[in-house]
Amino acid sequence: MIFKKRIFKIGCCLAFVILLVLTYSFYKEKRMYEQYLTSNISQDIVDMKSAIITNDRIFNRILEDGKIINEMVEDGEQARQVYYGLIDMMQIINKYNFMNLTLSQEANWLAQPAALFINHIEVGDIWPQALRRMQMTFERLDISNYPVSAELKDRIQDYQELNQRWLNIVGDFETKVIEEKDWPQILYDLEQETRSYFKEKNVDFVEDDVWRDALNPRYDLRK
């Protein structure tokens, strides 16, 4: 009987040690994930701000000059800067979508990171689609300067107006600091502001095929 009690106690101790090791391992995994995510969020905030601020400056310059400058001069290579800035924004969105999908499928309750680091952007949301259609206007404009037609000018004014709304949310580097904990709310606000913009225009972004025609001057010049 005493022997069985000893075996039981030893078994309980071993089980406790194993549980302790697993708990510590999961906790360490969680902390490493949160540290990794926090450092990445800081860079994503910088990249998102930079893209929106740069696009605002270039849209203004294009509208002032009446052409898209792709020479290597001050404020030049405009199409390339806008195009890759929009790509950077899309990649940030896609990263968080993939991260959330992976977490929801694989993370256990002990390793689940704090909720404030998680933000889900739905596949059917308007903001990512708007970014993609804006990209199409500036795609492959890396050879020469392009004149801005009246129709394209109106379109870029629309881009500028929507981008200005995004800028009002993220702010510039001097006057607004975004904390890591605020990042999910920022992403949510950018989507909601995009929806509000098209609602105020009385258009359905999906059903009305808004900006479906890219008005890319590279191809318009061939007509």
Side-chain angles (χ1 to χ4, degrees):
M1 188 69 179
I2 296 175
F3 178 74
K4 289 183 177 180
K5 286 183 177 181
R6 287 180 178 176
I7 293 295
F8 179 75
K9 288 180 179 180
I10 292 172
C12 289
C13 289
L14 286 174
F16 177 75
V17 170
I18 292 172
L19 180 61
L20 188 64
V21 170
L22 287 174
T23 302
Y24 175 75
S25 175
F26 289 142
Y27 173 77
K28 187 176 180 181
E29 179 184 346
K30 174 183 175 179
R31 293 301 302 159
M32 289 176 64
Y33 173 82
E34 290 181 349
Q35 290 172 4
Y36 164 80
L37 187 55
T38 300
S39 63
N40 274 261
I41 284 177
S42 298
Q43 187 58 51
D44 290 339
I45 292 171
V46 171
D47 292 344
M48 185 70 76
K49 271 179 171 276
S50 296
I52 293 173
I53 291 170
T54 298
N55 289 350
D56 182 66
R57 186 186 74 250
I58 292 177
F59 289 151
N60 285 332
R61 185 66 184 274
I62 291 174
L63 293 172
E64 289 175 2
D65 295 343
K67 61 182 177 180
I68 300 174
I69 300 173
N70 293 306
E71 300 170 352
M72 294 185 66
V73 295
E74 184 179 357
D75 279 338
E77 296 186 299
Q78 294 170 343
R80 180 182 178 85
Q81 290 189 68
V82 172
Y83 180 75
Y84 284 104
L86 295 169
I87 285 181
D88 287 343
M89 295 170 70
M90 280 296 303
Q91 288 177 338
I92 290 171
I93 295 171
N94 291 337
K95 180 173 73 174
Y96 285 97
N97 270 334
F98 177 77
M99 190 179 298
N100 289 330
L101 177 63
T102 302
L103 281 171
S104 64
Q105 292 178 344
E106 299 179 3
N108 58 68
W109 68 274
L110 285 171
Q112 187 79 27
L116 61 86
F117 290 115
I118 304 303
N119 183 77
H120 185 66
I121 300 175
E122 300 288 347
V123 175
D125 277 352
I126 303 302
W127 181 36
Q129 296 181 57
L131 290 172
R132 176 54 193 148
R133 295 184 190 179
M134 291 168 72
Q135 286 176 28
M136 292 167 59
T137 300
F138 299 94
E139 203 165 20
R140 299 184 65 192
L141 299 184
D142 54 0
I143 298 176
S144 63
N145 299 335
Y146 291 88
V148 175
S149 66
E151 188 177 14
L152 180 56
K153 182 178 179 180
D154 290 340
R155 175 68 60 79
I156 293 178
Q157 285 175 334
D158 289 342
Y159 293 166
Q160 180 194 41
E161 185 178 341
L162 180 55
N163 189 80
Q164 182 64 51
R165 293 188 177 213
W166 297 338
L167 182 57
N168 291 339
I169 293 173
V170 301
D172 56 35
F173 289 104
E174 290 77 22
T175 61
K176 184 171 183 177
V177 176
I178 299 175
E179 303 291 343
E180 286 85 356
K181 64 182 178 62
D182 299 325
W183 185 231
Q185 185 63 45
I186 291 293
L187 294 178
Y188 176 81
D189 290 345
L190 288 167
E191 166 63 28
Q192 294 307 308
E193 190 62 34
T194 306
R195 288 176 177 266
S196 296
Y197 171 80
F198 289 109
K199 185 176 181 180
E200 290 170 16
K201 295 286 186 180
N202 294 317
V203 295
D204 185 314
F205 185 84
V206 178
E207 295 297 328
D208 296 342
D209 284 340
V210 179
W211 299 348
R212 184 75 69 181
D213 181 356
L215 299 181
N216 187 302
R218 179 188 181 98
Y219 303 105
D220 288 347
L221 289 175
R222 294 178 180 177
K223 295 178 181 179

